[in-house]
Amino acid sequence: MARGEPSPADVELIGRLAALDVVVSAAQLERWRGLGLLPRHARAWLGRGRGSVSVLAEETVAVAAALGRHARSGRDVRWTVIAWYAEAGRPVPPGQLAVPEPPWPAVREALVWAMRRSTAQRLVMAARAAARGGEEEQDAFYAQAGRVVGRGHAGPAHPDTVRRVLEDPDAELDRGEDRRRRRGAVSMVAAAAMGAGEVGGERLVDALTTLTPGLDWTGFAADARQAEETGEFEGWIRAGAVDPLGLLQAAGPEEMAVARHAAVVLAGIGGLYLMHGLGMPDNPALARLRAVLEESGFALIVAQMVPMMINPSGVVHALTMCLAPEIAALAAWLESVLAEQSDTGQGLLRLPGAEQEGPEAFMKAWIGHLHQLTDRARARRTATAEDSDGARPSAGAPTDTGPTASSTEQGQ
């Protein structure tokens, strides 16, 4: 066989992947093997001096399919590994095979590499430098934090608000909430990196109230004021208390797998929470889940997990968050709420009082509702266009062409 020519096993592998709508090249396969991500083919000896042939294993097909699904032209392979690792932790749909786990050393290297280059880690490092510096360094940190938070996602609007806009396109969103969330995020980063005394009790309470709506922070606010008066508030959050890179570096494969499971659970619940805003049919079980989530005060954090678990750059931060015991406990508690519903024998995706049961009927009703909203919006646009046409003067009607009258009519 000439150098560079794919082996019969690789030719078979490429064909098997193509049948799964996964397109890879022989060069990609060799590169993944060189990085230790793809197993090398076993050899089968033919006997009687006839040599050996490579044999394709089913495990190799599964690994290559996972790599191929997440590989992108120009994408660093470490992003591919992170996306693969996230997929391996998701529930397996009926009739499909489980996604094999990527090698742990490659996963750890990819996660640490991604966190080192993330804007969040750079912001933490800038805050630590500001804590050791003077006012000029602190001003520079706040300017950088404003830019970073301004470019980031401030979190989705409340599902009830989104649903109202979906039902009535003329309804308006509260833009002030977005600004409050961004200010709160900057305050929390500053407190975590430079200590509670940097932001003060009032700003810290305002940030917590904004980012964890649903919780009563009245007692906390009173305690914060008293701690500031006695000079003890600085110790509430020590400078450098949050170290996302350190958490990742210290986590082992078992601990990271637990964090991944928590992130998957939270993203799934966050998806159900947000889908209410997109017109998903409601039922008592979903309403209770939303109520429990909002009463916990962590609805915004859970909702943020949805977009974070979609992209590899967000997966890194989602997993790091779930390494914190508080977030892991939240995921376990919400998972128990879902388990209670499962124990009743009734799934979440069901239509109350409907003749047809099951997810298919639920999805059909959802799609039907969205079609109704689309038809309503289309009819509304048509009516508006007809009203506008009727307000215009006909070609043969006399018109006032003076500049004042014309400009007045246009302004109306």
Side-chain angles (χ1 to χ4, degrees):
M1 182 175 61
R3 181 178 177 84
E5 183 180 346
S7 66
D10 272 357
V11 172
E12 181 184 356
L13 175 56
I14 292 171
R16 291 277 300 275
L17 295 176
L20 299 173
D21 294 325
V22 178
V23 179
V24 302
S25 66
Q28 280 180 301
L29 298 177
E30 279 302 316
R31 184 184 179 213
W32 293 335
R33 288 194 189 98
L35 293 172
L37 301 175
L38 184 67
R40 296 190 178 276
H41 296 303
R43 306 294 299 182
W45 295 96
L46 299 176
R48 298 184 179 181
R50 290 179 296 172
S52 63
V53 294
S54 56
V55 179
L56 179 61
E58 291 301 319
E59 178 189 1
T60 302
V61 177
V63 171
L67 285 164
R69 279 193 299 272
H70 299 294
R72 302 287 186 275
S73 178
R75 167 185 277 185
D76 192 292
V77 72
R78 285 168 287 199
W79 291 124
T80 302
V81 171
I82 293 173
W84 173 15
Y85 182 69
E87 185 189 16
R90 298 188 184 112
V92 181
Q96 295 188 20
L97 297 176
V99 177
E101 293 283 349
W104 168 247
V107 172
R108 184 182 185 280
E109 178 192 356
L111 291 174
V112 171
W113 167 81
M115 182 57 75
R116 284 188 188 279
R117 69 193 305 271
S118 70
T119 55
Q121 183 64 23
R122 289 200 296 270
L123 192 58
V124 169
M125 298 304 296
R128 291 176 182 171
R132 296 189 298 268
E135 292 186 4
E136 184 176 347
E137 288 80 7
Q138 293 180 7
D139 290 342
F141 158 74
Y142 281 111
Q144 180 181 355
R147 290 192 299 270
V148 170
V149 175
R151 290 194 299 267
H153 184 40
H158 193 281
D160 288 343
T161 302
V162 177
R163 196 178 186 104
R164 186 173 68 251
V165 173
L166 183 67
E167 300 282 351
D168 181 11
D170 291 334
E172 296 183 357
L173 293 173
D174 179 12
R175 302 298 180 185
E177 181 64 22
D178 182 85
R179 292 190 293 271
R180 289 191 292 272
R181 288 177 180 176
R182 296 182 189 279
R183 287 198 301 269
V186 172
S187 296
M188 293 304 297
V189 172
M194 292 186 283
E198 167 60 24
V199 299
E202 184 176 351
R203 280 179 56 195
L204 183 60
V205 171
D206 181 68
L208 291 170
T209 304
T210 301
L211 299 177
T212 54
L215 293 181
D216 184 4
W217 292 100
T218 305
F220 182 91
D223 292 343
R225 285 193 296 270
Q226 182 178 358
E228 285 185 307
E229 292 174 358
T230 59
E232 300 174 347
F233 184 68
E234 180 69 36
W236 280 30
I237 302 178
R238 295 291 184 184
V242 176
D243 183 12
L245 180 59
L247 282 174
L248 281 178
Q249 290 175 322
E254 295 81 10
E255 187 179 2
M256 189 59 69
V258 172
R260 180 181 60 179
H261 176 74
V264 170
V265 169
L266 293 178
I269 294 175
L272 292 173
Y273 179 72
L274 294 178
M275 289 304 103
H276 176 72
L278 298 180
M280 186 174 71
D282 205 6
N283 59 46
L286 290 172
R288 178 173 180 267
L289 181 62
R290 291 197 307 276
V292 167
L293 184 56
E294 291 182 357
E295 290 170 4
S296 74
F298 291 96
L300 181 60
I301 294 174
V302 174
Q304 288 273 44
M305 285 286 179
V306 179
M308 289 172 68
M309 287 298 288
I310 293 175
N311 296 315
S313 59
V315 168
V316 179
H317 295 93
L319 296 181
T320 306
M321 287 176 59
C322 291
L323 286 172
E326 298 81 3
I327 303 300
L330 173 67
W333 174 56
L334 291 174
E335 190 173 22
S336 69
V337 174
L338 290 179
E340 291 176 5
Q341 178 63 24
S342 299
D343 292 341
T344 64
Q346 297 178 331
L348 284 171
L349 304 183
R350 59 185 179 84
L351 297 170
E355 295 181 359
Q356 292 181 323
E357 288 288 346
E360 292 184 2
F362 187 90
M363 295 302 298
K364 184 178 179 180
W366 187 3
I367 294 172
H369 179 58
L370 293 177
H371 284 167
Q372 290 177 0
L373 293 176
T374 301
D375 293 341
R376 187 191 308 170
R378 186 181 295 113
R380 186 171 183 171
R381 287 195 301 268
T382 301
T384 302
E386 290 175 351
D387 291 343
S388 299
D389 290 341
R392 295 172 185 166
S394 63
T399 59
D400 188 344
T401 58
T404 303
S406 176
S407 59
T408 302
E409 291 171 358
Q410 292 174 3
Q412 294 174 343

